[in-house]
Amino acid sequence: MTFADHLVQSVQKKRSSVIVGLDPHLKLFPHELRVAMQGKSRDQIAKIVEEYCTLIIEGTYEFVVGVKPQVAFFERLGPAGFAALEKLVKLASSRGLVVISDCKRGDIGSTAEAYAEYHLGSASPTDNSIPGLGADAATLSPYLGADSIGPFARFLDEGRGIFILAKTSNPGSGDLQDRLTTVIPEDKIPIYRVSAQLAQSIADKHAIGDCGYSSVGIVVGATFPAQMAELRDAHPRLIFLLPGIGAQGATASDVSVCFDKNGNGALVSASRSIMFAKAGIDSTSGPGAWRDAARESALALRDDLNRAISYR
Amino acid sequence: MTFADHLVQSVQKKRSSVIVGLDPHLKLFPHELRVAMQGKSRDQIAKIVEEYCTLIIEGTYEFVVGVKPQVAFFERLGPAGFAALEKLVKLASSRGLVVISDCKRGDIGSTAEAYAEYHLGSASPTDNSIPGLGADAATLSPYLGADSIGPFARFLDEGRGIFILAKTSNPGSGDLQDRLTTVIPEDKIPIYRVSAQLAQSIADKHAIGDCGYSSVGIVVGATFPAQMAELRDAHPRLIFLLPGIGAQGATASDVSVCFDKNGNGALVSASRSIMFAKAGIDSTSGPGAWRDAARESALALRDDLNRAISYR
């Protein structure tokens, strides 16, 4: 089964297009955990991060379709951080969640191959190869061109997916992405369209699942509604991964344009609004309260989104 | 002292602009090591990788100015790979080498901050902060714009450097990088120039060292001589990190245009031609032979390069 088919089945079953971003940004942790981290080793801090993220997964897995660990925050903790990341990916998979490794890797040839083998390679390979992270999909940066996507695309035929950055959600995303470029003299398109076309050209070379969507998707910031609509029109078969809801200001109704009439075609990712829903409020401190706050926040986002879109 | 000043001093002292790429691509390892890796755990494979890279560092450090570990190959091995990477960075630093983490990271806000803190943060911080990799510089992908560079640029004032990808050495680099974009109606520039301008704008906001160069540099593939010359003319104060010599086909005389009359302004990075100089030849097998082959290859590249450029 393709990644897209697996994803769409999960979305339909759960009636949820919400992806929880696992962004363990240490400065946003509940006060008592920040205190507990003071003067501790990376191994000890990584353990606290792992436990906190475990709470978030346990609290939300019934209402979300997947998780998107932001690799940077785990990498920050070195080897111990990667060990925690690997355990969390296993936990999320065991809970039936789709796992998108938000690594934004972009390199070439054998280097891209090493990244692909790590992020998308099985965590428990049966063929004596070296274990990988075992994510279902990964985010990729397109700056180095098609060369940098190829080694990841190989995994499309093994049920994995990729999301190529097109128009990202940050204020400075226009520095490169909005630059106009000429394809034919009469027609100028921005770089984010070039990136989406790159994704499309790879999608065209691989199987489209029964669901009608490719396992090649693009990342489009929900903070840019006009570009989101433009990209949706241009690429009806690509699944959109949409960050920018919540803390960054976009709303559920902003993103509804990205979904088809059956509620498919897009995933909405929210990180800190779920992970740190009430982390700053003393009266809700303690593991149970953090888990419940994440659960409530994920549920609210799912329902909010479902009011804006429709499922068959 | 700025990164650029430290680098230029090392280059002048050693009369070498060579950077050894530490690219432990497992498939290229000497036969007997590949055999030794069969069926081994990631921890055991990482140990072999660490020992091999140690030989390369010990064999070459007298003739090269720095090392550039390619993070992908360490990441491939998960936590154990990062542990090996950290040990190798410490070893290289202790041998007086400049360390450039070839991570090509590119993300935003707090995420970029986490990457910056890891790659450029001290491995032995004195201020109770979490230890980082402790590299002197890192390579960065510009797709997400200035937002993604800012958190790394903060480290420029702490003696660290950054190299922003402009025109990369791979065949597909033109997919995005060569796209023409319009700044003023009469003038079209390619995206790789936009990326270089982004680097320049950050360089302009930070101190230029006594050496006359910024600690913000750009990555320019030696495989594209015309673009290399164009970028050199446009950005005389940026240090160029030049991959593409050796296995990818560029020569020492191709890159001489990037150096000033004192032999400064650029670094030439070679990876597999040094690391696996004679790895395939049985008669030179064994640790001593691998180390000596790397030494000879590094020395030959240094001399070849020195014939093409000049030192004051």
Side-chain angles (χ1 to χ4, degrees):
Chain A
M1 193 188 308
T2 72
F3 168 75
D5 281 349
H6 171 62
L7 181 68
V8 164
Q9 281 186 9
S10 285
V11 164
Q12 291 295 328
K13 191 174 150 201
K14 286 190 157 171
R15 291 286 190 264
S16 178
S17 295
V18 174
I19 297 282
V20 181
L22 292 179
D23 291 25
H25 182 23
L26 300 184
K27 288 178 191 156
L28 300 178
F29 268 58
H31 177 73
E32 60 199 83
L33 293 183
R34 276 182 287 131
V35 169
M37 289 178 196
Q38 294 281 338
K40 292 293 194 302
S41 71
R42 289 193 303 188
D43 286 22
Q44 292 167 313
I45 294 172
K47 195 77 201 154
I48 294 173
V49 164
E50 186 191 325
E51 286 168 2
Y52 190 80
C53 290
T54 297
L55 287 177
I56 304 300
I57 293 171
E58 297 292 8
T60 61
Y61 77 91
E62 294 170 83
F63 311 115
V64 304
V65 70
V67 292
K68 179 175 72 62
Q70 168 49 262
V71 176
F73 294 111
F74 297 94
E75 189 161 311
R76 173 68 189 94
L77 300 171
F82 272 88
L85 174 63
E86 294 187 351
K87 282 187 197 153
L88 292 166
V89 168
K90 276 184 189 146
L91 171 67
S93 296
S94 76
R95 288 285 178 270
L97 294 169
V98 167
V99 178
I100 302 172
S101 173
D102 195 356
C103 57
K104 298 187 179 68
R105 298 300 189 249
D107 215 306
I108 53 175
S110 59
T111 309
E113 213 171 272
Y115 279 134
E117 283 171 6
Y118 180 64
H119 289 274
L120 300 183
S122 170
S124 310
T126 51
D127 63 352
N128 205 23
S129 62
I130 302 169
L133 178 61
D136 297 292
T139 59
L140 299 180
S141 182
Y143 191 73
L144 285 91
D147 296 356
S148 64
I149 314 292
F152 283 86
R154 194 167 59 77
F155 284 87
L156 293 172
D157 304 323
E158 297 178 20
R160 307 299 194 179
I162 55 177
F163 291 94
I164 298 175
L165 303 182
K167 176 67 184 166
T168 57
S169 62
N170 56 308
S173 70
D175 292 344
L176 255 81
Q177 297 163 28
D178 288 357
R179 292 295 182 127
L180 292 178
T181 176
T182 306
V183 178
I184 53 169
E186 306 77 47
D187 183 31
K188 286 188 179 138
I189 61 165
I191 284 290
Y192 65 78
R193 290 287 305 274
V194 177
S195 178
Q197 287 173 354
L198 183 62
Q200 185 68 55
S201 72
I202 295 160
D204 291 343
K205 289 191 199 106
H206 292 267
I208 294 280
D210 295 333
C211 64
Y213 286 96
S214 171
S215 294
V216 179
I218 54 176
V219 175
V220 184
T223 45
F224 295 104
Q227 290 87 337
M228 204 161 53
E230 176 197 2
L231 287 163
R232 181 75 291 174
D233 278 348
H235 302 285
R237 301 273 185 171
L238 303 185
I239 293 175
F240 285 21
L241 177 60
L242 305 162
I245 288 259
Q248 291 185 63
T251 65
S253 68
D254 287 336
V255 301
S256 61
V257 65
C258 297
F259 291 83
D260 66 24
K261 65 182 166 50
N262 302 320
N264 295 321
L267 297 169
V268 168
S269 154
S271 303
R272 61 183 70 176
S273 64
I274 295 175
M275 266 197 82
F276 304 111
K278 288 181 184 170
I281 300 172
D282 281 343
S283 62
T284 65
S285 73
W290 301 326
R291 187 195 57 224
D292 292 347
R295 174 192 299 261
E296 281 163 36
S297 176
L299 187 55
L301 177 57
R302 183 199 68 173
D303 291 345
D304 199 21
L305 194 60
N306 286 355
R307 276 188 292 272
I309 63 177
S310 59
Y311 289 101
R312 194 202 302 256
Chain B
M1 194 188 307
T2 71
F3 168 74
D5 281 350
H6 171 63
L7 181 69
V8 164
Q9 280 186 10
S10 284
V11 165
Q12 291 295 328
K13 190 175 151 200
K14 285 190 157 171
R15 290 286 190 264
S16 177
S17 295
V18 174
I19 298 281
V20 182
L22 294 179
D23 291 25
H25 183 24
L26 300 183
K27 288 179 191 153
L28 299 178
F29 267 57
H31 178 72
E32 61 199 82
L33 293 183
R34 276 181 288 129
V35 169
M37 288 177 196
Q38 294 280 338
K40 293 293 195 300
S41 71
R42 289 192 303 188
D43 286 22
Q44 291 167 313
I45 293 172
K47 195 78 202 152
I48 294 172
V49 164
E50 186 192 325
E51 285 168 2
Y52 189 81
C53 290
T54 297
L55 286 176
I56 303 300
I57 292 172
E58 296 293 7
T60 61
Y61 77 89
E62 294 170 84
F63 311 117
V64 304
V65 71
V67 292
K68 180 175 71 63
Q70 168 48 262
V71 177
F73 294 112
F74 297 94
E75 189 162 312
R76 174 68 189 94
L77 300 171
F82 272 88
L85 174 63
E86 294 188 351
K87 282 187 197 155
L88 291 166
V89 169
K90 275 183 189 147
L91 171 66
S93 296
S94 76
R95 289 284 179 270
L97 295 169
V98 167
V99 178
I100 302 172
S101 174
D102 196 356
C103 57
K104 297 188 181 68
R105 298 299 188 252
D107 215 304
I108 54 176
S110 59
T111 310
E113 212 171 273
Y115 279 134
E117 284 171 4
Y118 180 64
H119 290 274
L120 300 183
S122 170
S124 310
T126 52
D127 64 351
N128 205 21
S129 61
I130 302 169
L133 179 61
D136 297 293
T139 59
L140 300 180
S141 182
Y143 191 74
L144 285 91
D147 296 355
S148 65
I149 314 292
F152 283 86
R154 194 166 60 78
F155 284 87
L156 293 171
D157 304 322
E158 297 178 20
R160 307 299 194 180
I162 55 177
F163 290 94
I164 298 174
L165 303 183
K167 177 66 183 166
T168 57
S169 62
N170 56 309
S173 69
D175 292 345
L176 255 81
Q177 298 162 28
D178 289 357
R179 291 296 183 124
L180 292 178
T181 175
T182 306
V183 178
I184 53 170
E186 305 78 46
D187 183 31
K188 285 186 180 141
I189 61 166
I191 284 290
Y192 64 80
R193 290 286 306 274
V194 176
S195 178
Q197 287 173 354
L198 183 62
Q200 185 69 55
S201 72
I202 295 160
D204 291 343
K205 289 192 199 107
H206 292 268
I208 293 281
D210 296 333
C211 65
Y213 286 96
S214 170
S215 295
V216 179
I218 54 176
V219 175
V220 184
T223 44
F224 295 103
Q227 289 87 337
M228 204 160 53
E230 176 197 2
L231 287 163
R232 181 76 291 175
D233 279 347
H235 302 286
R237 301 273 185 170
L238 303 185
I239 294 175
F240 284 21
L241 177 60
L242 304 162
I245 288 258
Q248 290 185 64
T251 66
S253 68
D254 286 337
V255 300
S256 61
V257 64
C258 297
F259 291 84
D260 66 24
K261 65 181 167 48
N262 303 320
N264 295 321
L267 297 169
V268 168
S269 154
S271 303
R272 60 183 70 176
S273 64
I274 294 176
M275 266 197 82
F276 304 111
K278 288 180 182 169
I281 300 172
D282 282 343
S283 62
T284 64
S285 73
W290 300 326
R291 186 194 57 224
D292 293 347
R295 174 192 299 264
E296 282 162 37
S297 176
L299 188 54
L301 177 58
R302 183 198 68 173
D303 292 344
D304 198 20
L305 194 61
N306 286 354
R307 277 188 293 272
I309 63 175
S310 58
Y311 288 102
R312 193 201 304 255

